[in-house]
Amino acid sequence: MEKGLCIMMSVLCFFGIGNKVSAAENSNADLEYSSVILEDGFTEEWTEDTGISPFAVKTGVNWTVKPKTLKKSGGFKKKAGSTIEIKISVKPEKKVLIGIIRGNTQKIYQSTTMGVYKTFKIKETDTYHVFVQNCSSGSIQAIGYYRK
């Protein structure tokens, strides 16, 4: 009995280790991509990272985002192979898009009603913005941070 249990545990450990998939490998599976930065009927607002050094790595977000508005951070350079971490919650729960804009040519985002905690892998060196796009008919509060 003990010998059979040891063999079974060995097999489970072997297959468990051999088939291990890290979350980082699949971290972009739930993302959407768009070359349209600002859809018809939406307005764009910029927010400056006031009061924080331009060299700061972590930037707080406390944005009021009006209906049908895309609000984005100031731009910052990122190198290929680096990451941008975003942790932003939305109150009240409304449909929003949260993500990054690469070089004003591509939006990479997650659609949600509650918020996002996501690490975006940077594939191309460029200037990036973090954004929250409110798709609802009422204002929302976006609270959290992003790490550049």
Side-chain angles (χ1 to χ4, degrees):
M1 177 77 168
E2 285 181 49
K3 186 176 181 179
L5 184 59
C6 285
I7 291 171
M8 189 167 71
M9 292 300 289
S10 297
V11 169
L12 287 174
C13 286
F14 174 78
F15 284 112
I17 292 170
N19 293 328
K20 189 175 182 180
V21 177
S22 76
E25 289 174 345
N26 293 324
S27 65
N28 290 342
D30 55 350
L31 295 177
E32 297 179 52
Y33 298 80
S34 174
S35 61
V36 177
I37 303 301
L38 193 63
E39 291 85 353
D40 288 338
F42 280 80
T43 58
E44 182 177 48
E45 292 182 359
W46 290 61
T47 182
E48 292 303 319
D49 303 330
T50 57
I52 299 174
S53 162
F55 303 106
V57 174
K58 186 175 177 181
T59 303
V61 170
N62 189 358
W63 300 343
T64 298
V65 187
K66 297 174 192 167
K68 302 295 183 193
T69 299
L70 181 146
K71 192 162 202 171
K72 66 182 181 179
S73 69
F76 51 91
K77 289 290 264 184
K78 291 298 287 183
K79 292 183 179 181
S82 63
T83 60
I84 299 172
E85 176 187 344
I86 299 175
K87 185 175 184 181
I88 296 177
S89 60
V90 176
K91 301 287 182 208
E93 293 179 4
K94 305 259 186 192
K95 183 180 179 195
V96 296
L97 311 179
I98 300 175
I100 58 176
I101 298 173
R102 180 183 59 80
N104 290 322
T105 61
Q106 185 180 42
K107 251 188 340 190
I108 306 165
Y109 61 91
Q110 197 168 358
S111 180
T112 182
T113 57
M114 295 173 27
V116 166
Y117 184 24
K118 187 86 180 154
T119 300
F120 293 81
K121 294 179 182 179
I122 303 304
K123 296 180 181 176
E124 295 182 40
T125 300
D126 209 331
T127 299
Y128 288 82
H129 301 267
V130 171
F131 79 92
V132 176
Q133 182 173 334
N134 183 357
C135 302
S136 74
S137 58
S139 291
I140 57 105
Q141 194 72 22
I143 300 170
Y145 69 87
Y146 60 92
R147 190 180 313 270
K148 27 185 176 176

